[in-house]
Structures are given as C-alpha cells and as structure tokens.
Amino acid sequence: MTTAPSAPGKLGDALEPAAIQAYLGELDTWLRVRRSELDELDQAALAAGRGAELTNDMSLALALWKAISDRYQLVFTTWDGGRVLRQERERISALIWGRLDGATELPGGLAVSLPEAGRLCDALTGQLRNRLALVPGADAQAARIRQLRAQFERIRDQVALEPAISRDDAIHRLAELMSRLEVITAKAERGGDVGGMLGPLEVEATTFERDLIVGNARRRDARDQVISARELRADLEAREAALQKLAETCVATVDPAPRYAVPDVDALGPVPVTPDAIGPYLERLDRVSQALEIAQHAYSAALEEHTQLVALLDAYVAKARASGVAELPDLAASEQSARGLLERRPTPMAVAKQLVTTYQTWLAKETR
C-alpha cells in the first residue's frame, strides 16, 4: 500500500523550489495510486456484500482524498511550473500546512492539514484493506512486518504530540503493540505461520494511529478560536491568490468562461480578539471558504472541458489515420479548422464543439 509523502518545511516557511517540486511529484503519484486503491476496496466491499458495513470509513477516506486532491490543485497552480518568488513559496507553505476544513465537509468538523489528511487517509485505507482481507498471504509476512515497523515509527511521532495527561497511556499502548510485534517477528524467524497474528495487530495499529491523528487534530481545533481564525484566514489568502491565477488562466483559455468573483479576504478586516466578535468572524470566513470552493470547481470544470475537447479531436484524428483517410482534403481541412480554433486564446467553445463534431461527421462519412 502506498503512503502519503512527507511534506517539506512548516507553516510560514518560504519553501525551497526543489522541495516543492519533489513534493508535488510525489503527491501526484500518491493521489493517483490511492484513488485506484480506494476504487479496488470499494469494489471488493460491494462484491463481498459489506458495502453498508464499511460505508462510514470508505466515505471518510474518499472525503479526505477529495480534500487532498483539491488542495494539490491549488498548490500546483501557485507553483506555476516553478515561476515562484518568496511570496508564492510562503503561500504554498500555507496551502500545505493550513487547515483543509474549508475544502470538504469532514465528519465531526474535523480540521486537518494536508500532511495529516494524507496520514489519516493512509490509516483508513490500511484498516479497510485489513477488514476486507486483501493483505497478501504468508509469502508476504516479512513485508507486512516491515510495514508495521514503519507504522510504529509514525505512531511514535504522533505519541510525542499527545498532551502530558494522556501521553503515558499512549506510550504504554505503543510499547504493548511493539512487544507483540517482536513476539510475532521471533516466531516468523523460526519458520512459524504468523498470518493469523499479524491481522489483528495491523487492525489495532491502524486504529491506534487513526485515533492519535484525529485526537491531535481535534485538540488543535479546540484551542483558542482567535488562533484558529488566523490560521483559516492565512489559508484563505493563499487559496484566494491561487484561485485568482486559476481564474485568469481560465478566462484566457475559454470563451465563455465562468464569471465568479474571487472573494477578497482583506475585505473581512483584521481578526478580532473579543469573544463576542470572533464567532461571527469565523462564520464569515467559512462563507468565504465556500465561495472559493464553488469558484474553483467552476473554473476547473471549464478548463477540463477544453482539455477533453482537444483529446476528443486527437482521438478522431488517430482513428482517421488508422483508417487511412486522415489526409483526404475534407478531413484535413476540417481538422485544421478545429485545431486552429482550439489553439486560439480564448477558444470560442461553442464553435469549437461544432467543428469537432463536423470532423466526426466527415470521418463517419469517409469510413462507411
């Protein structure tokens, strides 16, 4: 099972370009692989007649994946192929380490950062895989033991974040899990079959890791509301800047383009510090967050429509070449017209769709 990449720096850092580029590449790979894994698990749950039983965990895993995917898009847009100055690199840090609560409705009002969401999604996916018995058999026992050791290291990091009042209990539970793993490892080294012992330990470890991540996130969310408002405002400012660039790209690429106004976070004024004012201010921040999300999806959908239209024309042309008719005058002229219009900026989408349809009609006529 793939695991979410480690994020560079911390909140407020001006991240190094090389670190940003490497992280984006790893996160893109993780998103694609994780989506495939979740689809596999969903199909396995339905095939086993356990869809209803696993709905909550599967829904949370998919919600986390969607929140991470949306945030990746904003980071990637801000990255702009590496054309970033210090201000953009600080915005990327805020996007990575800021809260994702504005991106997706998560159960219990959960507010986590991008790295935390990745680790939580990893833990949930592991738990789902174990419950569905999709983990390899005895021939993979050594790999499963290595994965558990790596998981215990992640758990050790989470235990260090526990408050003093509960840290001793968490340390004791981690020690008990590690002791059980040592017993299993010793038995496996003697040639024993430990498959039946690994499964329960993996379930307990993933549940413990998930609980630690969720507990830490909820404790942080329960801290002073003024600090929460400042974090959310910083996140919104970074999203606003990224969305502004996305909107400009969309308007320059397609016509008609969505005409959603990008909310101005500065118009909200400074974060208040009085108990009576902070609650309404947080509500206004949430409304701005929702408006940013709606605008982002609209602009992304418009750009995706243009990309799909280009891909559709490419597919028709490939079919024409395979049929040996691509160079016929009518088809060649039709392709040139459609291609030229799709390359125009902005592309008049209604006319471009008609020209692609015209090419399809010529192709159908010539391949009868």
Side-chain angles (χ1 to χ4, degrees), residues 320-340:
R321 288 172 180 162
S323 303
V325 298
E327 301 304 323
L328 293 179
D330 290 328
L331 274 168
S334 180
E335 180 194 355
Q336 184 178 5
S337 297
R339 190 86 60 192

Side-chain angles (χ1 to χ4, degrees), residues 248-269:
E248 291 170 359
T249 301
C250 182
V251 170
T253 303
V254 299
D255 180 28
R259 295 296 177 182
Y260 285 92
V262 177
D264 182 7
V265 179
D266 287 339
L268 295 174

Side-chain angles (χ1 to χ4, degrees), residues 245-314:
K245 184 171 291 188
L246 181 66
E248 291 170 359
T249 301
C250 182
V251 170
T253 303
V254 299
D255 180 28
R259 295 296 177 182
Y260 285 92
V262 177
D264 182 7
V265 179
D266 287 339
L268 295 174
V271 178
V273 295
T274 60
D276 292 338
I278 191 62
Y281 189 84
L282 280 168
E283 292 176 0
R284 292 197 296 273
L285 287 177
D286 286 338
R287 288 195 293 271
V288 169
S289 177
Q290 293 169 13
L292 286 170
E293 181 182 3
I294 291 171
Q296 178 187 345
H297 289 169
Y299 286 117
S300 297
L303 286 172
E304 179 63 20
E305 183 181 20
H306 182 274
T307 300
Q308 290 178 353
L309 195 59
V310 173
L312 182 61
L313 177 61
D314 289 341

Side-chain angles (χ1 to χ4, degrees), residues 1 23 39 49 63 73 114 156 159 173 175 200 226 252 298-299 303 320:
M1 185 183 76
Y23 180 65
D39 289 342
Q73 183 185 57
L114 182 58
R156 193 195 303 275
V159 167
R173 185 174 181 189
V226 174
Y299 286 117
L303 286 172

Side-chain angles (χ1 to χ4, degrees), residues 172-326:
H172 177 76
R173 185 174 181 189
L174 175 59
E176 188 269 333
L177 293 174
M178 294 179 69
S179 176
R180 286 169 57 188
L181 180 60
E182 292 307 317
V183 172
I184 291 172
T185 302
K187 183 175 180 179
E189 290 174 349
R190 294 192 300 270
D193 181 7
V194 296
M197 302 170 67
L198 279 170
L201 181 59
E202 287 167 334
V203 171
E204 288 186 44
T206 53
T207 301
F208 185 34
E209 183 178 18
R210 180 197 63 189
D211 291 345
L212 287 172
I213 293 172
V214 172
N216 180 55
R218 286 179 173 166
R219 281 192 302 274
R220 187 186 62 224
D221 193 49
R223 291 171 189 167
D224 188 77
Q225 283 189 314
V226 174
I227 295 176
S228 297
R230 287 170 179 165
E231 290 178 353
L232 181 54
R233 181 189 169 96
D235 176 56
L236 292 177
E237 289 172 345
R239 289 170 60 193
E240 176 192 347
L243 181 57
Q244 187 67 51
K245 184 171 291 188
L246 181 66
E248 291 170 359
T249 301
C250 182
V251 170
T253 303
V254 299
D255 180 28
R259 295 296 177 182
Y260 285 92
V262 177
D264 182 7
V265 179
D266 287 339
L268 295 174
V271 178
V273 295
T274 60
D276 292 338
I278 191 62
Y281 189 84
L282 280 168
E283 292 176 0
R284 292 197 296 273
L285 287 177
D286 286 338
R287 288 195 293 271
V288 169
S289 177
Q290 293 169 13
L292 286 170
E293 181 182 3
I294 291 171
Q296 178 187 345
H297 289 169
Y299 286 117
S300 297
L303 286 172
E304 179 63 20
E305 183 181 20
H306 182 274
T307 300
Q308 290 178 353
L309 195 59
V310 173
L312 182 61
L313 177 61
D314 289 341
Y316 288 147
V317 172
K319 181 179 179 181
R321 288 172 180 162
S323 303
V325 298

